[in-house]
């Protein structure tokens, strides 16, 4: 048996040696330069080829983790995931960037895209184009989006993304208020008066200036009446009639949801924020700033040349004309 074992061992080593011998002739593909790889990723983004862009950006980060375009590639990767309808990956990439670069100049962009990802995740295709009652859906993604936008506005109020975030937060407040009223109406039908009143009070106290406030006040008035709390019921009714005199009060415990009632929450149609354009990449910004600086330098140089030719005679007159034009 021993000779057989020795023979088997020799055959095994021979096979392994042959594999390594033939495999040694394979050539490893050369690394693509960092700038070329980044430009390929940007080209893929501009042509809406997000799968290819993700591949290039991941490769760029893997091969050049501390390179010139590493941080910008991480930002572009968040955007690519977002546009490629990969919300989990986009949110994870945004969290990673925020954790690794808390003091980055474009950290507001990461918060904005994180909020935008959750914002789009909260809306389905059907909810966008059909008048269904979106207030019945779980508001988890809406809450995440609201939190991200709120952080952006609190920490970076002067961010270029702040105005759009503000509009989307108002949209989300309408969405969350509508959900609370929907739950309160459900409690009213089940005669859970305390729970219904608490939901209505939450809307009035925390989600003011939303279309759901009058419904919340009506629920509070009706629920407190059922509980025998006449003073609280009267207070709720007085506030409702004072601020919304045209509101028609109907018992919530007898209501049935309709498409028209759903549309009045302001969650569909013209109140929806517009689709955001892709923010300008850092590289493009730098090129634009450089071009602007070069143009200004050329302008100053031309003015200096004219000043030298005229021995400065017209310098004061030129300034006077500029002030007059203003």
């Amino acid at each position: 048996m021993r000779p057989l074992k020795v023979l088997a061992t020799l055959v095994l080593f021979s096979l392994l040696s042959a594999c390594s011998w033939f495999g040694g002739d394979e050539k490893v593909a050369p690394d693509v330069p960092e700038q070329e790889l980044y430009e390929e990723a940007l080209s893929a983004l501009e042509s809406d080829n997000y799968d290819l862009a993700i591949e290039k950006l991941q490769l760029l980060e893997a091969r050049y983790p501390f390179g010139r375009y590493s941080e910008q590639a991480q930002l572009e990767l968040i955007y690519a995931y977002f546009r490629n309808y990969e919300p989990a990956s986009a949110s994870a990439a945004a969290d990673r960037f925020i954790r690794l670069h808390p003091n980055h100049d474009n950290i507001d962009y990461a918060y904005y895209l994180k909020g935008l990802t959750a914002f789009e995740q909260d809306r389905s295709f059907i909810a966008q184009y059909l008048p269904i009652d979106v207030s019945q859906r779980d508001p988890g993604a809406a809450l995440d989006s609201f939190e991200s936008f709120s952080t952006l506005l609190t920490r970076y109020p002067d961010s270029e993304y702040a105005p759009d975030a503000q509009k989307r937060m108002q949209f989300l407040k309408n969405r969350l208020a509508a959900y609370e009223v929907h739950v309160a109406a459900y409690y009213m039908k089940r005669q859970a008066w305390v729970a219904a009143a608490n939901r209505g009070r939450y809307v009035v106290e925390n989600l003011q200036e939303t279309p759901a406030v009058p419904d919340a006040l009506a629920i509070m008035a009706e629920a407190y009446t059922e509980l025998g709390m006449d003073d609280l019921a009267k207070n709720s009714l007085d506030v409702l009639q004072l601020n919304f005199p045209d509101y028609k009060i109907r018992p919530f415990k007898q209501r049935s949801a309709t498409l028209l009632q759903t549309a009045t929450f302001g969650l569909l149609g013209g109140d929806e924020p517009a689709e955001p354009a892709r923010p300008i990449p850092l590289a493009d910004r730098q090129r634009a700033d450089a071009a602007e600086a070069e143009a200004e330098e050329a302008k100053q140089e031309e003015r200096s040349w004219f000043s030298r030719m005229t021995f400065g005679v017209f310098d004061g007159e030129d300034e006077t004309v500029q002030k007059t034009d203003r």
Side-chain angles (χ1 to χ4, degrees), residues 56-108:
K56 295 293 183 180
L57 291 169
Q58 288 176 338
L59 184 60
L60 175 63
E61 188 178 359
R63 291 190 175 181
Y64 305 99
F66 304 104
R68 175 184 176 187
Y69 300 101
S70 174
E71 296 177 1
Q72 182 64 23
Q74 293 175 24
L75 283 173
E76 298 288 356
L77 187 59
I78 304 172
Y79 178 81
Y81 279 136
F82 165 70
R83 284 301 187 189
N84 208 39
Y85 305 103
E86 299 182 42
S89 298
S91 181
D95 286 335
R96 178 171 175 266
F97 184 88
I98 293 170
R99 184 178 66 255
L100 294 177
H101 313 288
N103 299 318
H104 195 275
D105 291 339
N106 299 113
I107 189 71
D108 57 335

Side-chain angles (χ1 to χ4, degrees), residues 236-253:
S236 301
L237 192 59
D238 289 343
V239 173
L240 175 62
Q241 292 176 343
L242 178 63
N243 293 277
F244 307 96
D246 298 330
Y247 184 84
K248 296 181 180 179
I249 300 178
R250 293 182 298 152
F252 262 85
K253 56 187 177 182

Side-chain angles (χ1 to χ4, degrees), residues 128-155:
Q128 292 183 52
Y129 298 104
L130 295 180
I132 64 172
D133 194 350
V134 294
S135 65
Q136 299 185 34
R137 297 170 52 201
D138 179 25
L143 288 170
D144 292 341
S145 179
F146 190 89
E147 181 180 354
S148 297
F149 287 143
S150 178
T151 302
L152 169 63
L153 291 176
T154 301
R155 297 184 182 180

Side-chain angles (χ1 to χ4, degrees), residues 25-320:
D25 292 339
E26 295 180 359
K27 295 182 180 180
V28 179
D31 287 342
V32 180
E34 181 184 9
Q35 182 172 353
E36 180 180 344
L37 196 56
Y38 179 69
E39 290 177 354
E40 290 177 356
L42 287 185
S43 178
L45 283 175
E46 292 171 358
S47 61
D48 297 337
N49 190 348
Y50 300 115
D51 287 326
L52 180 60
I54 291 172
E55 179 184 343
K56 295 293 183 180
L57 291 169
Q58 288 176 338
L59 184 60
L60 175 63
E61 188 178 359
R63 291 190 175 181
Y64 305 99
F66 304 104
R68 175 184 176 187
Y69 300 101
S70 174
E71 296 177 1
Q72 182 64 23
Q74 293 175 24
L75 283 173
E76 298 288 356
L77 187 59
I78 304 172
Y79 178 81
Y81 279 136
F82 165 70
R83 284 301 187 189
N84 208 39
Y85 305 103
E86 299 182 42
S89 298
S91 181
D95 286 335
R96 178 171 175 266
F97 184 88
I98 293 170
R99 184 178 66 255
L100 294 177
H101 313 288
N103 299 318
H104 195 275
D105 291 339
N106 299 113
I107 189 71
D108 57 335
Y109 178 35
Y111 279 111
Y112 174 71
L113 273 186
K114 182 181 179 183
L116 199 60
T117 298
F119 183 90
E120 294 296 333
Q121 190 176 5
D122 182 63
R123 306 185 307 160
S124 65
F125 176 84
I126 297 178
Q128 292 183 52
Y129 298 104
L130 295 180
I132 64 172
D133 194 350
V134 294
S135 65
Q136 299 185 34
R137 297 170 52 201
D138 179 25
L143 288 170
D144 292 341
S145 179
F146 190 89
E147 181 180 354
S148 297
F149 287 143
S150 178
T151 302
L152 169 63
L153 291 176
T154 301
R155 297 184 182 180
Y156 313 99
D158 298 328
S159 169
E160 62 181 300
Y161 310 110
D164 186 73
Q166 183 70 51
K167 293 178 182 178
R168 292 177 187 277
M169 283 184 67
Q170 184 59 49
F171 178 88
L172 290 168
K173 286 177 68 175
N174 293 348
R175 157 84 166 92
L176 296 173
Y179 176 79
E180 293 295 325
V181 167
H182 173 78
V183 175
Y186 172 83
Y187 284 141
M188 292 294 291
K189 292 179 181 179
R190 298 298 185 274
Q191 299 184 2
W193 314 121
V194 174
N198 288 339
R199 291 280 182 164
R201 188 173 71 250
Y202 177 83
V203 172
V204 173
E205 293 178 353
N206 300 284
L207 298 170
Q208 300 177 10
E209 300 179 359
T210 61
V213 168
D215 281 342
L217 287 168
I219 286 176
M220 291 172 62
E222 186 176 346
Y224 286 137
T225 299
E226 295 290 347
L227 290 169
M229 300 179 177
D230 296 334
D231 291 340
L232 292 176
K234 184 178 182 304
N235 290 339
S236 301
L237 192 59
D238 289 343
V239 173
L240 175 62
Q241 292 176 343
L242 178 63
N243 293 277
F244 307 96
D246 298 330
Y247 184 84
K248 296 181 180 179
I249 300 178
R250 293 182 298 152
F252 262 85
K253 56 187 177 182
Q254 299 177 4
R255 289 192 185 187
S256 59
T258 63
L259 295 180
L260 180 61
Q261 181 182 355
T262 302
T264 60
F265 284 124
L267 296 175
L268 301 172
D271 292 337
E272 185 175 335
E275 185 71 15
R278 175 175 174 247
I280 301 175
L282 180 59
D284 292 350
R285 290 186 189 178
Q286 292 174 344
R287 284 195 291 267
D289 292 342
E292 183 178 354
E294 184 178 351
E296 182 64 25
E297 183 179 353
K299 183 178 179 182
Q300 293 295 337
E301 183 178 353
E302 181 180 357
R303 176 174 297 178
S304 299
W305 175 83
F306 180 76
S307 178
R308 290 197 302 270
M309 290 293 295
T310 58
F311 300 100
V313 174
F314 298 100
D315 289 353
E317 181 178 348
D318 184 51
E319 293 179 1
T320 304

